[in-house]
Amino acid sequence: MKAQRPQRIAAVRYKSTNDMGIHTSGESEERANDRDAELWALHPGHADWSRVVEVRGGWLDIGVHRLAPAQTLRGAVLADAEGAPLAAATVRVAMLRSTADRALSRAPGREDGLATQTDAEGRFELGPLPQQGFATLTAVAPGFLREIRQRVDLAASPDAITFRLRPGTAIEGVVRDDHGG
C-alpha cells in the first residue's frame, strides 16, 4: 500500500479519517502563521484525546497517537425516600480542568460534558469516558434536588453508581432591583 503524503487544507473544526486511518488538517498557505491549535480525537469505544499544540510555519506533524480504550459508567437514579426509579432523569459528567482532557470542554459535541437520560427503570449508561482522571457527576430530575459528586476518580469508579435524589420544592417569585423594577 502506497503511503499518502499529508496535504494542507483550509482550517477545519472537524475532519474524519480516510480508509487508511490518515487524517490531515491545518492552515492553508495564505493563513499559515504561528499560533496555538487544539486537536481532538473523538471515536466511539475510545477515550477522547486532546492536545494543545503550537504550530510554527503553518504545519505540524503530531505523529501517531493511539486512543485508549474507554469505559462506560453505569448506574441508577432513584427517589431517596422510597427508592423508586426516576425515569428521564439527566446524568452528566464533566472532566475536571486538572486532567489532561481539559481541552475537551470545547471539543465538538462535548462543550457541556457528556450527558444521558435514565430509562424507565432509572438506569443509565454514560460514555465514552477515560479510564483515569477526575470528573464531576451530576444527576437531576424534575421535582427533585440535584445531586453533585465532585472529584470522582474514574480509575477507582465502582461498577455502578447510584444517585438518590431528595424531593425538592419549586420556588416562585419576582426578583427586583433596588428601585423596585
Side-chain angles (χ1 to χ4, degrees), residues 75-134:
V77 180
L78 308 174
D80 184 40
E82 65 276 359
L86 292 176
T90 300
V91 179
R92 181 175 306 279
V93 62
M95 297 302 295
L96 296 182
R97 297 251 183 247
S98 61
T99 67
D101 300 303
R102 67 179 172 247
L104 291 175
S105 63
R106 293 182 301 277
R110 307 284 203 265
E111 295 86 357
D112 296 320
L114 293 174
T116 191
Q117 287 195 318
T118 57
D119 63 15
E121 286 80 41
R123 295 182 304 229
F124 69 89
E125 290 188 359
L126 190 58
L129 298 175
Q131 294 184 349
Q132 53 188 332
F134 293 91

Side-chain angles (χ1 to χ4, degrees), residues 61-175:
D61 182 352
I62 62 165
V64 175
H65 294 276
R66 298 194 191 290
L67 299 180
Q71 68 173 318
T72 300
L73 187 63
R74 293 174 176 81
V77 180
L78 308 174
D80 184 40
E82 65 276 359
L86 292 176
T90 300
V91 179
R92 181 175 306 279
V93 62
M95 297 302 295
L96 296 182
R97 297 251 183 247
S98 61
T99 67
D101 300 303
R102 67 179 172 247
L104 291 175
S105 63
R106 293 182 301 277
R110 307 284 203 265
E111 295 86 357
D112 296 320
L114 293 174
T116 191
Q117 287 195 318
T118 57
D119 63 15
E121 286 80 41
R123 295 182 304 229
F124 69 89
E125 290 188 359
L126 190 58
L129 298 175
Q131 294 184 349
Q132 53 188 332
F134 293 91
T136 297
L137 302 175
T138 305
V140 63
F144 292 84
L145 298 174
R146 171 186 333 253
E147 183 177 335
I148 300 172
R149 297 193 186 171
Q150 297 181 356
R151 293 199 52 81
V152 174
D153 184 354
L154 296 177
S157 62
D159 292 336
I161 292 181
T162 302
F163 290 95
R164 294 188 175 272
L165 303 186
R166 298 184 330 219
T169 302
I171 299 174
E172 293 184 33
V174 177
V175 177

Side-chain angles (χ1 to χ4, degrees), residues 16-29:
S16 185
T17 57
N18 67 15
D19 60 348
M20 292 176 48
I22 296 174
H23 172 75
T24 59
S25 64
E27 300 278 327
S28 61
E29 289 290 340

